[in-house]
Amino acid sequence: MSVLTEVFAQARAVLAVTKAADKATIKRAYRKKVIEHAPDQDPEGFQRVRAAYEVLSNPFPTAKERLFHQLPHVPPPQIPQPQPPVEAVVLALLRQVVGRLPAADLLGPLCTPKPRKPSSP
C-alpha cells in the first residue's frame, strides 16, 4: 500500500464513507461528522474531520500536500569545500606575520650598506 493510498484510506475512515462515494455523499458525511465533533467541544476531532474532507473533496493537491508534510525532513547533502593549495596557506600566514612587523625592521637589513672589505693592493 502506497503512502498516498493510505492517506485516502484514513480520510475515508474518518468520514465513514466508501471508496465509491461521490462528492454529495462525502459532503453529507462531513456535515454529520462536524455536528458530532463541534470545534468548541472537540477541536482535535474537528481538525481531523476537516482535513479528511479537504483530502476527499479536492483529492490531488491536498493529498499531495499532506503527503509531503508527513514525510521526514531530509537535510541537503553537504558539499565539500575546496581546500586552498598549501602554497596559498603559507603565503597568507607569511603576510600576517610580515604585516605585524614594523617597516623599519623589514627594510633595515635591506637598506643598510654592507661593510666593504678593504681591497688588497
Side-chain angles (χ1 to χ4, degrees), residues 62-79:
T62 310
K64 285 180 185 176
E65 180 181 315
R66 293 210 176 275
L67 175 66
F68 287 125
H69 285 296
Q70 289 178 359
L71 293 176
H73 174 69
V74 178
Q78 293 293 328
I79 300 174

Side-chain angles (χ1 to χ4, degrees), residues 20-95:
D22 61 340
K23 286 191 175 193
T25 308
I26 292 171
K27 194 169 191 176
R28 279 194 303 271
Y30 168 68
R31 288 181 178 171
K32 281 183 185 178
K33 290 292 181 175
V34 165
I35 292 171
E36 290 175 19
H37 302 282
D40 53 343
Q41 294 174 357
D42 185 13
E44 292 174 6
F46 177 74
Q47 291 295 329
R48 280 194 310 271
V49 169
R50 194 171 123 238
Y53 179 69
E54 286 176 7
V55 167
L56 294 177
S57 65
N58 190 7
F60 293 108
T62 310
K64 285 180 185 176
E65 180 181 315
R66 293 210 176 275
L67 175 66
F68 287 125
H69 285 296
Q70 289 178 359
L71 293 176
H73 174 69
V74 178
Q78 293 293 328
I79 300 174
Q81 297 295 325
Q83 296 295 325
V86 175
E87 297 84 16
V89 174
V90 171
L91 186 61
L93 290 173
L94 186 60
R95 283 184 183 154

Side-chain angles (χ1 to χ4, degrees), residues 1 3-17 48 51-53 55-56 66 70:
M1 180 183 259
V3 179
L4 193 57
T5 308
E6 189 175 323
V7 169
F8 283 117
Q10 288 175 357
R12 283 192 301 271
V14 168
L15 292 181
V17 293
R48 280 194 310 271
Y53 179 69
V55 167
L56 294 177
R66 293 210 176 275
Q70 289 178 359

